[in-house]
Amino acid sequence: MPRPTAIPRSTLDIPTLAASLRAGSRAALARAITLVESRRADHQAAARELVQMLLPHTGRAIRVGITGSPGVGKSTTIDVLGMDLIKQGHKVAVLAVDPSSARTGGSILGDKTRMALLSAEDNAFIRPSPSSGTLGGVAAKTREAMLLCEAAGFDVVLVETVGIGQSETAVCDMTDFFLALMLPGGGDELQGIKKGLIELADMIAINKADGDNLTRANITAGDYRGALHILTPRSEHWHPPVVTYSALAHTGIKELWQKILDHRTAMNASGDFSGRRREQQVKWMWTMLEQRLMSKLRADPALRSKVRLIEKDVADASITPAVAAEQIAALLKE
Ligand code: GDP
């Protein structure tokens, strides 16, 4: 989905932008996220200032990552769950990490048209995946967008992704609860095990447990319970449950959310909650640093051409990758 890249000058008046965002202006929030996503150096500096300024107002949302193959029902689930939460008085932001968006120039994930109910709600904010750069870059920007949404008063943030490459790890690293959606007997179970996905998941939820699928959904749930049984859980205070639900028939959604709340209660009681957040912050610092170093390498034409020559030497096997890395590190120091 195309989005405006031009950033009006007024956006760079950071204190004013921060104040309107805090006052609940959706336009300000959208502009702030565009600023965070911009690759221009002056915009990035402004974005850093903005996020730092808003930091005291972040961190209070429930952050939930949601993954699942295309067609599993992510958007239907988010639409229905999001509406339930809004009815309970929450404000719900939906963000996405779509590593393929860099290639396709657009993102299916987080597309408003997929969430018809939520997109008409004042208390929902839906933003598609940033569509530039590497997975690390996309994820880092989504994480900052999440902080902006929190500062704007959104107290539930849902971050969706698809099981491509490392995107699940990236989303898991920015959320408090990682939810893996599966299909009844879709053969997904083996995939999940292979990718290590079920090691990341705080809960596995089998969607489409309705009509003819009901029995198969229960069998699949049993399979996952068996698979989880042999894994060591990430926290000794939480054993990832396996539930079945139907987004379409609106059954099991309330129970699904209750598990997320139970998890938070358990993690708070054990201290794992703040532990996970602290670890995540530090991990993100390193991710941001990697991003900066990489973008420095890419942005400076002189550096870029030197790196290309080194790269050629490595390809020709005239120097080792280790020596090349050393040379590039030295270039960065200059
Ligand atoms: P996404 O690609 O993961 O976002 O999946 P969608 O939410 O777009 O759903 C894919 C298809 O599955 C759509 O045709 C939905 O109507 C259907 N679907 C979603 N949830 C359910 C459900 O609970 N039961 C059934 N039977 N179909 C569903």
Side-chain angles (χ1 to χ4, degrees), residues 13-327:
D13 172 1
I14 296 304
T16 306
L17 180 62
S20 357
L21 184 148
R22 288 277 298 139
S25 156
R26 303 168 63 86
L29 176 57
R31 280 206 308 274
I33 296 178
T34 303
L35 190 63
V36 158
E37 291 176 354
S38 168
R39 289 211 238 186
R40 262 177 53 177
D42 57 337
H43 290 166
Q44 286 183 6
R48 277 197 296 279
E49 185 190 337
L50 176 69
V51 178
Q52 180 65 38
M53 192 178 280
L54 292 170
L55 203 60
H57 308 289
T58 66
R60 280 185 281 274
I62 299 190
R63 303 167 176 174
V64 180
I66 300 179
T67 188
S69 317
V72 71
K74 290 181 297 300
S75 50
T76 313
T77 303
I78 291 170
D79 211 20
V80 172
L81 172 65
M83 289 305 289
D84 275 6
L85 293 170
I86 285 172
K87 278 186 206 126
Q88 291 169 29
H90 291 290
K91 287 184 73 176
V92 180
V94 181
L95 306 172
V97 172
D98 181 357
S100 66
S101 60
R103 233 179 313 124
T104 58
S107 170
I108 309 176
L109 290 178
D111 186 339
K112 285 187 182 149
T113 56
R114 291 166 62 238
M115 297 157 199
L117 300 172
L118 269 190
S119 57
E121 277 295 326
D122 278 346
N123 287 325
F125 181 83
I126 303 173
R127 180 87 177 188
S129 178
S131 58
S132 68
T134 57
L135 166 63
V138 167
K141 287 168 184 174
T142 304
R143 188 176 191 278
E144 304 234 295
M146 175 173 81
L147 298 177
L148 296 173
C149 289
E150 290 180 351
F154 289 87
D155 61 349
V156 175
V157 183
L158 307 175
V159 187
E160 66 165 331
T161 191
V162 274
I164 300 177
Q166 295 299 303
S167 67
E168 286 168 334
T169 314
V171 171
C172 186
D173 282 346
M174 71 177 85
T175 50
D176 306 318
F177 189 95
F178 194 58
L179 170 62
L181 304 186
M182 303 282 178
L183 288 174
D188 260 338
E189 47 278 76
L190 282 175
Q191 257 183 51
I193 292 167
K194 216 164 47 199
K195 285 182 306 191
L197 165 62
I198 63 170
E199 288 172 23
L200 292 181
D202 293 301
M203 173 160 71
I204 291 175
I206 323 286
N207 186 25
K208 309 197 186 182
D210 47 47
D212 294 345
N213 278 328
L214 203 54
T215 314
R216 275 202 302 153
N218 287 328
I219 294 172
T220 305
D223 290 347
Y224 278 113
R225 283 189 197 108
L228 282 173
H229 201 64
I230 54 172
L231 288 174
T232 315
R234 272 198 304 168
S235 160
E236 56 176 310
H237 306 285
W238 183 257
H239 291 263
V242 179
V243 301
T244 59
Y245 75 103
S246 166
L248 216 56
H250 208 302
T251 52
I253 300 272
K254 220 169 76 195
E255 291 78 2
L256 188 135
W257 184 251
Q258 187 55 47
K259 291 275 187 235
I260 296 175
L261 297 179
D262 292 349
H263 173 265
R264 194 175 173 101
T265 307
M267 295 297 102
N268 269 327
S270 67
D272 283 9
F273 182 83
S274 57
R276 181 158 162 176
R277 285 236 175 142
R278 289 170 67 90
E279 259 171 47
Q280 287 178 341
Q281 314 262 72
V282 174
K283 216 162 168 178
W284 277 101
M285 177 191 78
W286 289 107
T287 308
M288 304 297 269
L289 179 64
E290 270 168 37
Q291 286 304 309
R292 284 199 73 163
L293 293 178
M294 291 311 289
S295 71
K296 189 173 168 199
L297 279 178
R298 271 189 232 111
D300 182 333
L303 261 179
R304 221 169 39 217
S305 61
K306 283 182 195 163
V307 169
R308 255 201 300 271
L309 290 176
I310 298 176
E311 204 177 53
K312 187 174 174 303
D313 287 344
V314 173
D316 295 343
S318 54
I319 59 171
T320 66
V323 168
E326 191 63 32
Q327 288 178 358

